[in-house]
Structure formats: structure tokens, C-alpha cells
Amino acid sequence: MHFSAKSFSFQKSKAFTKIGKLRAATKPGKNGKTKIVLITPYIEYTDDQTFYEELDRNLKKMREIILNYFSEQTAEELSKKNEDKINSELLEKLNSILILQKIQMIN
């Protein structure tokens, strides 16, 4: 078996936790009611001070993206998605505003 050097990542990862705890109201469902979703996102990124600063500069935008994601969907729509699907969709939206690097994972 042959592995190239590109197959492995030796960079350390860190967690960006400054987003904090968020409360989002879902879009009203068929019954006209919303649900409150409590989110505490942890963003995994490559240990890089410049990228950390970019994340910090975009903190308000990232909060808005997360809150908007949940407010654009009903509780029923969200319940049909698994956690991996929600994380993947959020990751794509968050990465779209970043320039230097991309977020590796969101939990």
C-alpha cells in the first residue's frame, strides 16, 4: 500500500467556542406554532492565529447564519434531518463567508 504525504494532516485542530449559546425560533409549523431550539456550536478549525482572527471578526455574521438557518425551517422539517445533515448544511453556509480557510467541523 502506498500513501502520499498529502494523505495525512499533521496540523492541530482547535475549537472556536465564542459563538456561545444561541436560542432560535423555528418557522411556524402547520399548527402555526414555533419551537425554540437551543444551540451551542463548537467550530473545529486548523490551529492558525490569522484564521482565528477571521472567525472572531465574523462572529456576528456566524451567529446570524445559524439563527437564520433554524428560523427558515419548521420544527417538522428539522426533525426529518439527522444531526450530520444539519451540521453539514450549517458548515457550508458558514464557510461561504470565510476567505482564509474553511471550518473543518461544527458540533
Side-chain angles (χ1 to χ4, degrees):
M1 200 181 295
H2 179 268
F3 294 100
S4 70
K6 292 182 181 179
S7 298
F8 300 99
S9 174
F10 295 106
Q11 294 182 329
K12 293 181 182 179
S13 293
K14 286 202 166 190
F16 184 81
T17 59
K18 288 181 79 173
I19 292 175
K21 192 178 288 188
L22 303 173
R23 285 179 175 79
T26 63
K27 183 169 123 180
K30 293 177 185 175
N31 62 4
K33 295 184 179 182
T34 62
K35 299 276 185 173
I36 301 298
V37 180
L38 185 62
I39 311 116
T40 307
Y42 296 94
I43 293 176
E44 185 177 326
Y45 69 99
T46 303
D47 186 8
D48 177 304
Q49 182 62 33
T50 307
F51 186 53
Y52 173 86
E53 291 168 3
E54 181 180 20
L55 292 172
D56 196 46
R57 277 192 312 275
N58 284 291
L59 185 57
K60 185 177 178 180
K61 285 182 191 174
M62 290 191 297
R63 284 183 178 139
E64 288 173 5
I65 287 170
I66 294 167
L67 292 172
N68 288 339
Y69 175 84
F70 289 97
S71 69
E72 293 169 351
Q73 301 179 66
T74 66
E76 294 82 18
E77 291 168 335
L78 289 168
S79 69
K80 291 178 184 175
K81 298 180 181 184
N82 64 29
E83 187 176 341
D84 288 338
K85 177 70 172 167
I86 292 171
N87 287 345
S88 173
E89 290 175 353
L90 280 171
L91 191 64
E92 183 179 335
K93 289 178 181 289
L94 293 170
N95 278 332
S96 72
I97 65 167
L98 300 172
I99 297 167
L100 295 175
Q101 293 183 39
K102 301 299 177 196
I103 298 167
Q104 298 170 350
M105 186 182 304
I106 186 168
N107 294 313

